[in-house]
Amino acid sequence: MEEAREGGGGGKVRALIEKATNSTAAEVDPRILKAIKSVVRSSDSELRLAARTLLDLMKRDHSQVRYLTLVVIDELFIRSKLFRSLLVENLDQLLTLSVGFRRNLPLPPPPAVASRLRSKAIEFLEKWNASFGVHYRQLRLGFDYLKNTLRFQFPNLQANAARIQQERRERETRTKEILRTKFETLRANLPSIKEEIQSTVDEIGQCLNIILTQEESMPLAPLDDEDFVEFRSSELQQLRLDSLKEGEKVCENSDNKVVFDTLRELYKLLMTNHLISVQELISVLIRVEGADNRYRDSALKELIDIRNRLISVKKKCEESGCASTDAVKHWKEKEEEDFWEECKNGPFENGSSSTPIRQNGDLDVASNSSKVKNEAPERSKENTFENELPSCEGGITNAFSLKSKLLAEAPVMQWGSYLNNWGSNMDILANQRGMEFESHWGRVDYDAVIPADKIAELNIQATIYKEDQVEIPPCHAPLSTGALCQRRDLRVCPFHGPIIPRDDEGNPIHQSTSMDKTTLDLQSNLVGKLAKQAVMNVRDADKEEERKRENNKRSVKRAKLARIREHNEAVLRDAAMASTSRSADIGEDVEVVKGDKSLARNKKQTLASMLHKKVTTKDRIAQKLLNSRVKDSTVKQLALGEDTNYREAFPNQW
Amino acid sequence: MWKEIEAREAGKMRTNSFTNRIKSHRVSTLHLSNHKDIVSPHRASINSLQVDLTEGRYLLSAAADASAAVFDVQRATDYEGNGNIIAKHKSIFAIDKQHEQGHKYAISSAIWYPIDTGLFITGSYDHYIKVWDTNTTQVVMNFKMPGKVYRVAMSSLSTSHMLIAAGTEDVQVRLCDIASGAFAHTLSGHRDGIMSVEWSTSSEWVLMTGGCDGAIRFWDIRRAGCFRVLDQSQTQLGRRPPVLERSVTNKVLMSKSLSASHNLSVKPRALQKKSANGNSMKQTPVGRIPAKGSAKQRLHPGMLSCHDRATAHYGAVTGLKVTEDGMYLLSAGSDSRIRLWDVESGCNTLVNFETVRLQTTKAIQLATTQDSALVFVPCMTTVKAFDVWTGRTSLSFRSHYECVNCCWFSSQDQDLYTGGNDRQILVWSPSRLVSDELGDRFVQDTDNWSD
């Protein structure tokens, strides 16, 4: 009975499995798979047969078949207990055939599928081991063997996922714990913090009151000292006004100095301490998940109130402009940045539109700005003063130009401690640096001196050459669409010829006119540049010519070679045609004659076709060239000796 | 099984046969145990396995990375899996190269002192045989051998001597005396290294050695020289019936053979007479039999040269195993044959074992069941259990991924231990009783059809 059923129905599962595995697709057809599953599920004998068939198929000498078989095996393995118990009996065989770890039994071709088969098998084994390893020693054994003895790399999917999960959970608990402790401390400290903040705010209020009353009584005086100066540039004027305004604000004298100091300190305390701590507490309260929600809400409300109050106080302080060093700095920085943006010069922008004074200002600020940014407002105030000072003297440009020239030339030094004794020629006491040498080992010579030249030697600056980035200007030639050409080429645009400065509409600006507008110093600069450019142009032309000549030579040579090669090929082809009966052309003819039936078969990818190496043109040529008959003919050809040489040298005459 | 228990209760069945039946039934169900894992600490192929003879509890393993380890096979160190169904047996202790007195090279053989588990003996490729104190894991005695040690053996029934027989690269078998710490004997006769050494299980004085020259020699250690060289061409068909299968017809013969085996060492002539009388015996050179006994006696130290040159295998003898009753000897050779020898007559019994291929380069360790019904032979990656008397394969154990070197059958709980080149020690145990299966029902492995 059983046998009969196996005989009758057995064909079905076998046929199904064979059909499923006889394909070139990367996956098993899901419908066939489903059919297999339903058939196998219906009876144990079918399942046995399936296991046997699958193991047989695994022995096929084709990786694609093995791969698909393995996929089917996996599908059944994770579902049926009987299948598992049947399969683990032959697990070593299965692994040998799918992983190919035995040297004498490597995986069959095609290699691409073989490597996929191996990785899949390893992945499956890991999966099986994770889910069924407890029940099957063989699985554990195989896994252990591949992992620990052969040191195969398992994808380790489950373990990785578990680890990540675990890490995340740990992190969460840790943060929760931290939050909770923070919350506890907050609970304990909240009244004292509130008190502290309140006292600070009160003090600030008092200080502000004092200052405001003082300021009202102060005269808005010292503007008129500089009234006689005529400002040429509106920017400068603006700058000056701002500085004046600032000076007005930070105005402090011996009377209110104490008040200002306190105010400054309090403000600082407020900003760096209270505000931040309050923010933090709020964030803690928001994130914490405590049992005591009521307390949390009330505390949150309170803290937000406090924060709002602090912000308003801060605003008040800044408005009064007294102690807010930060505000001054911010303002200054903003101004500086504006300058920076304006004074960027492209290689072809000659700065013709800006006035010399403006340039001075630019340069000056530019050279100092790096320092200014990081230092106290007093310093920057000085700076601005410096800016103003020369302009007071009547706009004489000579001194400026000299200075600017020098500044332009001057190397920029890195900031360092050596700047402390910049330019000094003194010897330096080696052991007098405020360090305690009492408990030092050995005796210390307090009068030890480092000679000045040694110091100079030590302070020699190493500079690293940095290539400065030149912004390549766009071509800007007018296009037919009305836009300007945006190509950025160094010298010559391939569409619009050499790049020349152009105005907004794309019309070329003549160098000479722009030159007229520039001032003298810039002109000289430009002349130098032009001269350099001219030299470079000449050199380029020379090089170009040389290259062209070389190219010519080369092309002539190449043409000669090509001719010779052509000739050779012709000879070879003739020889091959003459000596082989089944040349490529004839073969093609035959193919065509066979008709569309064979064509269709050729087009359909089969398992066998996967085994064939793809024939490239290179292979074909190599084959043709290495064909023994052709070789013979070439040998014969070579034997022709001088005659051949002659012919190769003058292929046209043959 | 219940019927058998009932028969036993009613007294219809003898104790012996009852236990034997149960045991053989259990043996026939041997399979890879899922519930007993031995966690091997070895980093190289396992060369030798032995469960101690006194308690049947401690498994001694030796490996090619110069390490040896002892496991408690009765009590697991920890459990794994949901429901704790996998018992892990970790080594109680292990000695390896890091041990200050450890071996330098591969340990080829490790055996327990047969009387108790206080000592064990290891023989290594670094030319040393070391005797270890189990409790302190210190070397108590050291024997320097002339070459690589292939196999060491101690007699399990000796009461009057404490000799370690050592088979080495050298042609001489040396007997190391633990009592004195010196070589007691040097037995020469082999023409090549000695791969396997086995003490007789019926006489404490008889030693059997198998060499790379293909000869198996029997030595009586009270006399000089070997007294027998097994010749594969000297054959007898069939066998005497085993002791346990008593039948009326064989009874007389049985008692005779038993007495003969008792007199074996004392009176060679009695043995000779016995073999001449054996009903199932057939010796090819008939005319030589009467002369043989006297000739042998006369020529004993030097023996006849043609006798001396006899071989048991074409190639090296890689494994020897005497059956529990001491009447038969099983030998494995690098010619991929297993031969069953009648110890008393010294004849090849012509049992054809269906081996496929045996490992040829290494000594292998065979194992037999207590009633000598089955012999376990490592055949490359599988271990096969052959019926001793017919040579048919009755069971085949495959799970090792590389060649198996050794196996040990623990007759106490019918477990088979195998160790191989894949560094694993596998336990093959009889299927559990029904009650055990019920115990872990809650983690049953079941079908999982989703569609």
Side-chain angles (χ1 to χ4, degrees):
Chain A
M1 172 70 191
E2 183 86 1
E3 283 297 310
R5 255 177 54 195
E6 203 170 308
K12 205 159 66 178
V13 71
R14 191 190 290 267
L16 277 172
I17 287 172
E18 259 159 26
K19 196 176 168 194
T21 53
N22 188 11
S23 131
T24 56
E27 289 301 324
V28 180
D29 185 359
R31 276 177 306 150
I32 301 178
L33 198 60
K34 197 157 188 181
I36 292 173
K37 277 189 274 190
S38 65
V39 168
V40 156
R41 195 182 175 181
S42 61
S43 81
D44 279 359
S45 65
E46 291 279 358
L47 193 64
R48 279 174 214 279
L49 184 67
R52 221 162 33 230
T53 315
L54 286 168
L55 279 176
D56 281 344
L57 279 172
M58 277 310 283
K59 289 177 192 149
R60 235 9 123 65
D61 219 13
H62 197 301
S63 279
Q64 176 70 12
V65 178
R66 288 193 190 182
Y67 177 75
L68 294 177
T69 312
L70 189 70
V71 173
V72 178
I73 285 175
D74 176 57
E75 289 290 333
L76 298 182
F77 192 93
I78 57 176
R79 288 185 170 79
S80 163
K81 181 185 175 183
L82 178 63
F83 189 80
R84 279 197 288 273
S85 55
L86 287 174
L87 210 73
V88 290
E89 293 297 319
N90 292 317
L91 190 72
D92 57 334
Q93 197 185 1
L94 179 69
L95 287 182
T96 310
L97 294 173
S98 60
V99 181
F101 59 84
R102 291 204 202 283
R103 197 154 296 161
N104 52 356
L105 288 172
L107 293 180
V113 186
S115 69
R116 200 166 44 159
L117 169 69
R118 176 179 294 127
S119 63
K120 202 77 176 171
I122 289 174
E123 194 188 312
F124 282 156
L125 180 63
E126 192 190 22
K127 189 173 78 180
W128 295 345
N129 181 55
S131 39
F132 306 111
V134 181
H135 304 292
Y136 300 100
R137 174 84 169 111
Q138 287 92 340
L139 275 179
R140 273 179 278 149
L141 215 59
F143 181 74
D144 191 56
Y145 179 70
L146 288 190
K147 189 171 186 178
N148 296 331
T149 307
L150 298 184
R151 310 240 176 246
F152 269 92
Q153 279 297 319
F154 280 87
N156 230 352
L157 298 174
Q158 254 119 5
N160 275 347
R163 194 161 43 79
I164 289 164
Q165 187 79 20
Q166 174 74 17
E167 270 172 19
R168 211 182 42 215
R169 221 175 299 131
E170 268 175 23
R171 212 166 37 229
E172 269 169 19
T173 50
R174 225 177 304 135
T175 49
K176 226 174 254 176
E177 182 65 26
I178 290 167
L179 277 178
R180 218 172 46 74
T181 50
K182 270 190 182 166
F183 182 63
E184 291 302 319
T185 50
L186 179 143
R187 211 168 174 172
N189 294 343
L190 193 59
S192 66
I193 289 173
K194 264 197 288 190
E195 210 171 290
E196 219 173 289
I197 290 173
Q198 191 55 51
S199 72
T200 317
V201 167
D202 286 348
E203 276 175 49
I204 287 178
Q206 283 163 12
C207 289
L208 280 177
N209 275 340
I210 296 168
I211 289 168
L212 283 178
T213 49
Q214 272 179 353
E215 266 183 9
E216 271 164 23
S217 63
M218 253 169 60
L220 279 166
L223 234 169
D224 45 337
D225 299 350
E226 298 165 26
D227 258 355
F228 66 93
V229 185
E230 192 191 324
F231 299 110
R232 294 190 198 172
S233 125
S234 60
E235 279 106 333
L236 198 71
Q237 208 159 8
Q238 178 63 37
L239 195 138
R240 190 178 159 279
L241 275 176
D242 283 339
S243 71
L244 280 177
K245 221 182 340 182
E246 192 208 19
E248 206 176 280
K249 272 181 183 166
V250 205
C251 169
E252 53 176 273
N253 44 34
S254 51
D255 295 345
N256 57 11
K257 192 171 188 301
V258 187
V259 184
F260 264 91
D261 281 345
T262 4
L263 192 53
R264 223 172 274 146
E265 233 156 69
L266 286 172
Y267 178 78
K268 210 165 149 194
L269 184 71
L270 196 76
M271 294 314 296
T272 56
N273 240 345
H274 293 324
L275 198 58
I276 288 168
S277 68
V278 167
Q279 298 275 32
E280 228 168 68
L281 291 180
I282 288 172
S283 76
V284 167
L285 278 179
I286 287 169
R287 278 182 298 160
V288 82
E289 283 173 29
D292 198 358
N293 266 339
R294 206 139 39 86
Y295 175 76
R296 197 186 78 172
D297 290 346
S298 67
L300 195 59
K301 217 175 277 172
E302 255 176 275
L303 278 173
I304 289 172
D305 285 346
I306 289 171
R307 192 185 62 175
N308 288 342
R309 201 161 353 127
L310 282 181
I311 287 169
S312 72
V313 167
K314 179 187 155 201
K315 208 179 277 173
K316 231 186 275 169
C317 279
E318 274 162 20
E319 266 169 15
S320 73
C322 46
S324 51
T325 55
D326 283 328
V328 173
K329 210 157 57 177
H330 281 317
W331 174 79
K332 203 68 210 166
E333 261 174 29
K334 230 164 77 185
E335 206 71 355
E336 230 88 67
E337 270 161 21
D338 286 346
F339 273 135
W340 270 108
E341 269 160 17
E342 276 167 14
C343 70
K344 262 179 206 156
N345 280 332
F348 281 97
E349 194 187 327
N350 294 323
S352 51
S353 60
S354 59
T355 62
I357 296 176
R358 158 78 203 292
Q359 264 202 334
N360 280 336
D362 278 357
L363 285 166
D364 215 342
V365 173
S367 60
N368 282 324
S369 59
S370 61
K371 278 181 203 168
V372 170
K373 270 184 190 172
N374 301 326
E375 277 170 32
E378 285 87 1
R379 186 76 186 254
S380 65
K381 216 167 63 188
E382 270 175 30
N383 242 327
T384 49
F385 187 57
E386 253 178 27
N387 272 349
E388 283 163 28
L389 191 71
S391 68
C392 301
E393 284 168 22
I396 303 156
T397 52
N398 266 347
F400 288 150
S401 67
L402 183 67
K403 192 177 177 188
S404 69
K405 220 160 47 186
L406 285 175
L407 275 171
E409 275 172 15
V412 180
M413 305 296 285
Q414 292 276 317
W415 189 87
S417 60
Y418 66 91
L419 289 173
N420 291 344
N421 17 358
W422 180 260
S424 73
N425 263 338
M426 301 227 299
D427 294 349
I428 286 180
L429 288 168
N431 287 333
Q432 302 271 337
R433 275 169 291 177
M435 249 159 93
E436 193 62 52
F437 284 101
E438 287 304 328
S439 53
H440 201 272
W441 298 290
R443 256 186 292 162
V444 176
D445 182 11
Y446 287 98
D447 303 327
V449 156
I450 304 174
D453 51 343
K454 189 81 187 171
I455 291 286
E457 208 175 296
L458 288 172
N459 283 339
I460 281 174
Q461 290 295 300
T463 52
I464 300 160
Y465 171 70
K466 268 185 244 151
E467 200 175 351
D468 37 23
Q469 294 288 324
V470 179
E471 204 206 356
I472 301 167
C475 168
H476 270 320
L479 296 172
S480 57
T481 55
L484 298 177
C485 175
Q486 293 299 323
R487 275 192 66 95
R488 286 163 192 267
D489 294 289
L490 207 55
R491 249 176 281 285
V492 182
C493 174
F495 303 112
H496 308 104
I499 293 167
I500 44 170
R502 290 165 193 269
D503 62 12
D504 292 346
E505 269 148 43
N507 300 318
I509 305 166
H510 290 290
Q511 288 283 341
S512 55
T513 52
S514 70
M515 249 160 64
D516 289 340
K517 284 177 195 165
T518 51
T519 47
L520 209 73
D521 49 348
L522 285 164
Q523 212 172 8
S524 67
N525 209 353
L526 191 72
V527 165
K529 233 191 217 169
L530 279 176
K532 238 185 247 172
Q533 178 78 38
V535 168
M536 253 151 75
N537 280 347
V538 168
R539 272 186 201 154
D540 279 352
D542 280 356
K543 260 188 219 162
E544 194 83 9
E545 207 162 306
E546 208 171 346
R547 216 180 300 144
K548 230 179 248 170
R549 231 177 297 142
E550 218 166 87
N551 273 355
N552 265 347
K553 236 189 270 172
R554 221 178 283 159
S555 64
V556 166
K557 213 187 270 176
R558 213 177 291 146
K560 214 164 156 189
L561 277 173
R563 261 203 308 265
I564 290 168
R565 205 177 302 134
E566 214 172 320
H567 165 77
N568 282 351
E569 266 168 19
V571 167
L572 277 178
R573 198 162 42 231
D574 287 350
M577 287 278 252
S579 57
T580 59
S581 58
R582 42 181 183 88
S583 69
D585 300 51
I586 293 164
E588 268 167 29
D589 289 345
V590 171
E591 284 284 336
V592 170
V593 168
K594 266 186 187 170
D596 32 359
K597 198 177 165 191
S598 70
L599 273 179
R601 207 182 57 201
N602 278 357
K603 264 178 202 162
K604 205 198 165 199
Q605 216 184 359
T606 58
L607 289 171
S609 74
M610 291 181 82
L611 287 179
H612 294 155
K613 251 191 194 163
K614 214 173 251 175
V615 183
T616 58
T617 2
K618 200 175 152 195
D619 292 338
R620 267 199 299 269
I621 289 171
Q623 207 190 351
K624 213 183 244 180
L625 287 178
L626 295 174
N627 194 348
S628 62
R629 278 181 214 164
V630 176
K631 229 189 274 171
D632 284 349
S633 73
T634 38
V635 166
K636 225 181 281 170
Q637 239 181 353
L638 287 172
L640 288 177
E642 276 184 36
D643 191 24
T644 321
N645 279 343
Y646 174 78
R647 264 191 249 162
E648 279 189 0
F650 302 100
N652 294 338
Q653 297 174 12
W654 187 34
Chain B
M1 195 177 97
W2 299 117
K3 203 178 273 174
E4 281 166 4
I5 287 174
E6 197 188 318
R8 175 73 202 110
E9 272 181 347
K12 288 180 205 160
M13 194 187 267
R14 294 180 183 219
T15 328
N16 242 349
S17 67
F18 175 69
T19 50
N20 280 326
R21 257 186 219 192
I22 296 282
K23 276 183 181 174
S24 62
H25 173 73
R26 273 168 71 81
V27 168
S28 67
T29 61
L30 275 180
H31 65 280
L32 186 63
S33 169
N34 187 38
H35 308 289
K36 203 168 180 181
D37 274 14
I38 288 183
V39 184
S40 159
H42 304 296
R43 314 295 303 158
S45 59
I46 315 269
N47 285 333
S48 156
L49 284 174
Q50 193 188 19
V51 177
D52 75 301
L53 307 169
T54 43
E55 281 178 273
R57 180 171 175 183
Y58 298 105
L59 174 71
L60 175 65
S61 68
D65 62 345
S67 67
V70 173
F71 307 88
D72 186 344
V73 294
Q74 308 278 6
R75 194 175 300 155
T77 45
D78 55 354
Y79 292 89
E80 213 174 69
N82 37 7
N84 286 341
I85 55 168
I86 304 169
K88 294 257 178 196
H89 296 262
K90 290 212 176 102
S91 59
I92 300 170
F93 67 86
I95 50 161
D96 50 15
K97 275 186 204 167
Q98 269 75 50
H99 192 284
E100 53 192 358
Q101 294 161 311
H103 284 288
K104 270 211 285 282
Y105 304 136
I107 299 181
S108 54
S109 165
I111 53 165
W112 285 108
Y113 182 63
I115 313 301
D116 57 45
T117 52
L119 290 177
F120 64 93
I121 295 116
T122 56
S124 161
Y125 280 7
D126 66 0
H127 300 193
Y128 277 98
I129 291 175
K130 291 184 176 175
V131 181
W132 298 78
D133 186 325
T134 316
N135 297 312
T136 59
T137 62
Q138 295 296 314
V139 171
V140 289
M141 209 163 279
N142 226 335
F143 296 98
K144 169 95 168 110
M145 304 305 287
K148 290 176 187 170
V149 181
Y150 288 133
R151 182 69 61 191
V152 291
M154 284 193 85
S155 171
S156 58
L157 40 85
S158 83
T159 50
S160 56
H161 68 79
M162 299 168 76
L163 295 173
I164 306 166
T168 63
E169 237 178 350
D170 192 39
V171 294
Q172 292 171 326
V173 182
R174 284 174 195 249
L175 303 185
C176 314
D177 192 357
I178 300 180
S180 68
F183 298 134
H185 296 59
T186 305
L187 311 173
S188 13
H190 280 287
R191 295 184 176 77
D192 204 343
I194 292 120
M195 280 278 225
S196 48
V197 176
E198 184 85 4
W199 286 93
S200 162
T201 46
S202 55
S203 163
E204 58 171 312
W205 313 111
V206 174
L207 177 70
M208 302 152 189
T209 58
C212 296
D213 54 353
I216 297 174
R217 284 168 187 270
F218 284 30
W219 315 83
D220 186 333
I221 59 165
R222 295 164 300 181
R223 293 163 187 266
C226 80
F227 70 89
R228 176 170 293 157
V229 183
L230 294 185
D231 187 352
Q232 54 187 330
S233 61
Q234 215 173 26
T235 57
Q236 73 182 36
L237 257 183
R239 59 175 181 104
R240 287 161 300 168
V243 185
L244 298 169
E245 280 176 28
R246 278 162 210 268
S247 62
V248 188
T249 49
N250 282 345
K251 231 169 192 173
V252 186
L253 182 67
M254 214 62 258
S255 60
K256 265 189 183 174
S257 79
L258 279 176
S259 69
S261 72
H262 282 307
N263 298 337
L264 169 76
S265 46
V266 190
K267 270 195 278 176
R269 188 178 293 176
L271 180 146
Q272 197 55 42
K273 204 162 67 192
K274 156 80 202 63
S275 66
N277 290 344
N279 57 353
S280 61
M281 211 164 182
K282 196 172 87 186
Q283 273 178 317
T284 7
V286 187
R288 226 168 64 188
I289 304 169
K292 197 181 151 201
S294 55
K296 196 196 253 171
Q297 217 168 13
R298 240 190 300 121
L299 290 172
H300 181 71
M303 284 215 301
L304 217 61
S305 66
C306 70
H307 275 285
D308 202 32
R309 295 200 175 275
T311 56
H313 284 276
Y314 299 109
V317 179
T318 51
L320 283 178
K321 180 76 190 170
V322 189
T323 55
E324 206 87 342
D325 53 14
M327 295 206 288
Y328 291 92
L329 174 70
L330 284 148
S331 68
S334 59
D335 53 356
S336 288
R337 301 256 170 234
I338 294 169
R339 299 217 156 91
L340 178 69
W341 306 87
D342 188 331
V343 169
E344 290 179 16
S345 65
C347 288
N348 182 359
T349 55
L350 293 177
V351 177
N352 179 33
F353 290 92
E354 308 167 324
T355 47
V356 193
R357 237 176 104 204
L358 295 180
Q359 220 179 341
T360 53
T361 51
K362 256 185 167 175
I364 56 173
Q365 194 183 323
L366 314 174
T368 55
T369 53
Q370 203 172 13
D371 58 353
S372 21
L374 290 177
V375 56
F376 300 97
V377 184
C379 306
M380 302 310 277
T381 61
T382 58
V383 177
K384 289 189 175 168
F386 296 106
D387 189 303
V388 173
W389 313 118
T390 61
R392 287 209 190 92
T393 314
S394 70
L395 291 165
S396 175
F397 308 101
R398 40 184 305 176
S399 262
H400 277 285
Y401 282 82
E402 278 168 42
C403 285
V404 184
N405 294 320
C406 50
C407 51
W408 182 267
F409 183 75
S410 156
S411 47
Q412 189 173 312
D413 36 12
Q414 286 85 45
D415 276 347
L416 176 70
Y417 301 92
T418 58
N421 285 347
D422 58 356
R423 311 167 183 182
Q424 297 286 348
I425 301 172
L426 300 187
V427 187
W428 308 80
S429 51
S431 42
R432 290 181 154 199
L433 294 174
V434 187
S435 56
D436 288 344
E437 293 289 348
L438 287 172
D440 47 39
R441 164 76 45 94
F442 58 98
V443 281
Q444 269 309 332
D445 176 26
T446 50
D447 278 5
N448 176 27
W449 291 99
S450 57
D451 47 342

